[in-house]
Amino acid sequence: MKFILKIKYALIGVFCIILLHGCLGGMAGWKGHIVRKENRIDLEKVAGKNSGVWKTGDLSLKYDYLIRRDSIQLDGKIVLTDKLTHFPTLDYLSVMVQFLDREGMVLDHEILYVSSSRAWIPMIMLSFSRSFVLPSETASISFSYSGKVSDGSGDDGIDWNFWSTP
């Protein structure tokens, strides 16, 4: 009987270590990961604003950025595609910006936009205006997001999760 208890405690310990490893990895975000070339947006460190549009099958992110010394100002608007706006409720949307070095490795990341909980899609403005300190080796940026839309009827309703990783 003592042998079985020892095995049980050993398995619980291994499970806890695996669980903690996963949680710590999630807290670190994408730091250290290499972003695919097609998802990198090279930063032009010239005077004045620069603009662009980043598109996926779920949304378009129209952005302007201005670099001042060691910081970046990002302003823009997020437009959901028709397949998402057929749902009346945006349960949540979180958009991140990743700061990358010349090789595309994630140096740091920040939250660019977070929606209010369970917002009615026709009534929300998905816009952002944020300023961040740039890590010293930043050469490009990338975006990622996760979200959920639904029919708004709760647990028994229809919903759709969507995301894009760098």
Side-chain angles (χ1 to χ4, degrees):
M1 185 68 165
K2 287 183 181 181
F3 179 71
I4 293 173
L5 284 176
K6 287 182 182 181
I7 290 175
K8 178 182 171 183
Y9 292 133
L11 289 174
I12 290 173
V14 168
F15 177 74
C16 288
I17 290 170
I18 291 170
L19 183 66
L20 284 174
H21 186 286
C23 291
L24 291 175
M27 288 175 13
W30 293 100
K31 274 187 181 178
H33 286 79
I34 302 295
V35 173
R36 299 180 306 270
K37 287 185 182 183
E38 63 269 16
N39 284 345
R40 299 178 199 169
I41 300 166
D42 291 331
L43 294 178
E44 297 179 32
K45 295 185 180 180
V46 294
K49 279 190 176 181
N50 293 284
S51 300
V53 178
W54 180 73
K55 291 183 179 184
T56 69
D58 301 314
L59 57 82
S60 295
L61 193 147
K62 299 174 183 180
Y63 61 89
D64 297 316
Y65 70 87
L66 178 62
I67 296 175
R68 291 191 185 117
R69 294 189 190 121
D70 63 345
S71 69
I72 185 170
Q73 174 70 35
L74 279 163
D75 302 305
K77 182 177 163 182
I78 301 160
V79 179
L80 301 176
T81 60
D82 288 344
K83 74 177 183 183
L84 297 179
T85 58
H86 285 299
F87 290 90
T89 305
L90 178 64
D91 292 344
Y92 70 88
L93 175 63
S94 175
V95 180
M96 303 283 288
V97 58
Q98 291 82 29
F99 303 104
L100 317 173
D101 67 9
R102 293 193 195 295
E103 286 75 42
M105 185 177 73
V106 177
L107 301 169
D108 203 358
H109 62 275
E110 294 284 349
I111 296 172
L112 185 60
Y113 176 85
V114 176
S115 69
S116 59
S117 179
R118 299 186 62 96
W120 192 45
I121 287 179
M123 298 300 292
I124 56 175
M125 294 293 300
L126 304 175
S127 59
F128 56 89
S129 181
R130 299 285 314 272
S131 184
F132 305 105
V133 174
L134 282 172
S136 62
E137 301 294 318
T138 302
S140 58
I141 59 174
S142 68
F143 298 108
S144 62
Y145 60 86
S146 67
K148 179 181 173 185
V149 291
S150 71
D151 64 4
S153 62
D155 292 337
D156 295 332
I158 300 169
D159 59 26
W160 184 267
N161 290 292
F162 58 99
W163 64 89
S164 178
T165 60

